[in-house]
Amino acid sequence: MSFSSPQDVEDAFYDAIDENDPQAMIPVWSSAQEAACLLPMQPLILGGEQIATHWQNLMLPGLQVEISVRHLHWIEGLDLAVHLVEETFSGDPSQGSRPPIYGTNVYRREADGWKLLMHLNAPLPPAPGSLTMGLTLPEAPPR
Amino acid sequence: MSFSSPQDVEDAFYDAIDENDPQAMIPVWSSAQEAACLLPMQPLILGGEQIATHWQNLMLPGLQVEISVRHLHWIEGLDLAVHLVEETFSGDPSQGSRPPIYGTNVYRREADGWKLLMHLNAPLPPAPGSLTMGLTLPEAPPR
């Protein structure tokens, strides 16, 4: 399967997650050793082959994930493109709702069309006033 | 100031942090509207001018930050380059040590040389066995 634009790859990537289909994930990714995937709570995975295996391990039969994607920003180069998106997951309602996260997707034009080369997630910042890790907030003055 | 390679820009970026010098940060960054900066605990900032102001606000006089950078990975395109690094901060010893974080840096070749176009931080995953947010772990079987 060949993708003619970064956006086509991106659509196929999130469709594969929605459909919990690890086979559909394979043509999305570059098979290059410099492919990189960083999912929430997961170690950084490098290498197209290792990433394919990682998705296969994550996409257990019966898993239900729905993901909605909001485009924040993108940059198009000659042979690389970077899309910054906000991902909101839903799935098993018993798990409650989760805060959205950032996703950075890097696409590359390869011999067989555009491919996903990096997918990196990062949390959104905590709401103002909530506790923050490692940061010492000044104490409120006594009343 | 003009940088002849992505690595030159990267060195200047981390030097500006080490030196707590907001003026040195200005030539590092692309002034383009599609510049993006996502620091830990901070909202996403878009736009070269807004990013320069953001660094000026963060780099208060007397702030001491030391940052060591380990290269994990990079991708070079024709006019874009993506470097994935691990950043370890140290500074005021009373604050204790902080876990390292990932940094994704996107560089672009512009009319006046290579510029930093995106800097995005993401936490490393929690250590195996530690509590994870929003993830329900199966209970250990009774002994």
Side-chain angles (χ1 to χ4, degrees):
Chain A
M1 188 181 295
S2 171
F3 301 102
S4 61
S5 74
Q7 189 56 52
D8 286 348
V9 189
E10 185 155 286
D11 291 344
F13 173 66
Y14 289 111
D15 284 351
I17 294 176
D18 270 346
E19 290 157 18
N20 193 41
D21 183 349
Q23 290 309 308
M25 199 50 104
I26 292 171
V28 164
W29 280 86
S30 167
S31 59
Q33 197 46 43
E34 63 257 46
C37 183
L38 175 62
L39 298 170
M41 306 298 182
Q42 303 287 328
L44 176 69
I45 310 289
L46 298 178
E49 202 174 316
Q50 291 83 344
I51 292 169
T53 304
H54 191 62
W55 281 105
Q56 212 127 20
N57 293 338
L58 288 174
M59 292 177 144
L60 299 175
L63 187 73
Q64 285 193 345
V65 174
E66 275 179 53
I67 183 166
S68 65
V69 174
R70 190 162 74 92
H71 282 95
L72 298 177
H73 197 54
W74 67 86
I75 293 162
E76 308 277 341
L78 294 171
D79 57 346
L80 292 177
V82 183
H83 289 198
L84 182 62
V85 301
E86 189 183 275
E87 302 176 355
T88 307
F89 286 83
S90 53
D92 181 350
S94 73
Q95 297 280 317
S97 69
R98 297 190 191 175
I101 56 177
Y102 291 117
T104 306
N105 296 324
V106 179
Y107 304 96
R108 183 165 68 179
R109 191 202 300 269
E110 301 193 346
D112 51 345
W114 285 89
K115 294 283 183 177
L116 181 56
L117 190 60
M118 295 179 88
H119 171 75
L120 306 173
N121 283 123
L124 266 67
S130 65
L131 269 184
T132 57
M133 50 181 183
L135 191 67
T136 308
L137 300 172
E139 283 183 30
R143 293 184 179 221
Chain B
M1 189 180 297
S2 170
F3 301 101
S4 62
S5 74
Q7 190 55 53
D8 286 348
V9 189
E10 187 155 283
D11 291 344
F13 173 65
Y14 290 110
D15 284 350
I17 294 176
D18 270 346
E19 290 156 19
N20 193 41
D21 183 349
Q23 291 310 308
M25 200 50 106
I26 292 171
V28 164
W29 280 86
S30 167
S31 60
Q33 197 47 43
E34 63 257 46
C37 184
L38 176 62
L39 297 170
M41 307 296 184
Q42 302 288 327
L44 177 69
I45 310 290
L46 298 179
E49 201 175 315
Q50 292 83 347
I51 292 168
T53 305
H54 191 62
W55 281 105
Q56 212 126 22
N57 292 338
L58 288 174
M59 290 176 146
L60 300 176
L63 187 71
Q64 284 194 346
V65 174
E66 274 179 52
I67 182 167
S68 64
V69 174
R70 189 162 74 92
H71 282 95
L72 299 177
H73 195 57
W74 67 85
I75 293 161
E76 308 277 341
L78 294 170
D79 57 346
L80 292 178
V82 183
H83 289 197
L84 182 61
V85 301
E86 190 184 276
E87 302 175 355
T88 306
F89 286 84
S90 54
D92 181 351
S94 73
Q95 296 281 317
S97 68
R98 297 190 189 175
I101 56 176
Y102 291 117
T104 305
N105 297 324
V106 179
Y107 304 95
R108 183 164 69 180
R109 192 202 300 268
E110 302 193 344
D112 50 347
W114 285 89
K115 293 284 183 178
L116 180 57
L117 191 59
M118 296 178 87
H119 171 76
L120 307 172
N121 283 123
L124 265 68
S130 64
L131 270 182
T132 55
M133 53 182 181
L135 191 68
T136 309
L137 299 173
E139 284 183 28
R143 295 189 177 215

